[in-house]
Amino acid sequence: MADPRGGDRLTHVDETGAARMVDVGGKDVTARSATARGRVEVSARVVELLRGDGMPKGDALGVARVAGIMAAKRTPDLVPLCHPIAISGVEVDLQVTDDAVLVEATVRSADRTGVEMEALTSVTVAALTVVDMVKAVDKLARITDVEVVAKSGGRSGDWRRT
């Protein structure tokens, strides 16, 4: 079984250590997807507002969902060595628990490279938006546990975090 941490070399640096964009021109176009998740730890008052009357700034979860979708599409503008790819779908789900907002994003594409970075960017920006929307009530809100939990497609095939 392959090492879940990946290969044995950094692909985005050349033999001299200089940053480079990986050439994916020779790779096959395949259906690919990736799912990432993260948490925004919030106060009991924020949970109460999100479950009830809402936040002073408005629909925090709706705004965060749209921000996550937009972020996935802008990933190559934010992460220097990411390829622009044709994203075919983005789903962002936010769930309020007793002490956090759980954020999960799944990104799909048919292209030559994976969408893990797009899923991570989606989750992170959605989580940042939650923090922005709740900061008037909870200045201690914090983002934790952002990680890829699954991917499919491409040469390395399917993978799921255990």
Side-chain angles (χ1 to χ4, degrees):
M1 174 176 236
D3 181 347
R5 296 218 177 256
D8 61 352
R9 64 184 179 86
L10 300 175
T11 59
H12 286 71
V13 293
D14 67 15
E15 57 281 345
T16 69
R20 70 178 181 104
M21 184 179 229
V22 175
D23 184 351
V24 297
K27 293 172 91 176
D28 291 334
V29 171
T30 62
R32 299 164 184 266
S33 71
T35 300
R37 68 178 172 210
R39 295 172 44 91
V40 182
E41 296 175 354
V42 295
S43 67
R45 178 65 180 141
V46 168
V47 169
E48 178 185 350
L49 288 168
L50 290 173
R51 288 179 172 165
D53 295 334
M55 298 300 298
K57 283 188 166 185
D59 180 9
L61 302 181
V63 172
R65 184 174 295 106
V66 172
I69 293 167
M70 292 174 62
K73 298 188 302 182
R74 299 303 301 244
T75 300
D77 296 331
L78 301 169
V79 182
L81 302 177
C82 282
H83 296 84
I85 58 174
I87 293 175
S88 58
V90 180
E91 296 170 16
V92 179
D93 181 54
L94 294 101
Q95 178 185 350
V96 180
T97 68
D98 290 340
D99 63 350
V101 176
L102 306 180
V103 183
E104 185 171 285
T106 298
V107 180
R108 288 181 205 69
S109 176
D111 216 312
R112 289 181 163 85
T113 190
V115 288
E116 295 92 340
M117 295 308 298
E118 287 76 6
L120 287 165
T121 302
S122 178
V123 165
T124 304
V125 172
L128 286 168
T129 302
V130 170
V131 170
D132 183 47
M133 297 293 286
V134 308
K135 68 184 179 195
V137 176
D138 184 1
K139 294 187 182 350
L140 299 178
R142 70 183 193 143
I143 299 166
T144 67
D145 303 322
V146 175
E147 60 188 1
V148 174
V149 296
K151 70 165 276 316
S152 67
R155 185 179 63 224
S156 62
D158 296 352
W159 174 86
R160 181 167 292 282
R161 184 176 294 276
T162 55

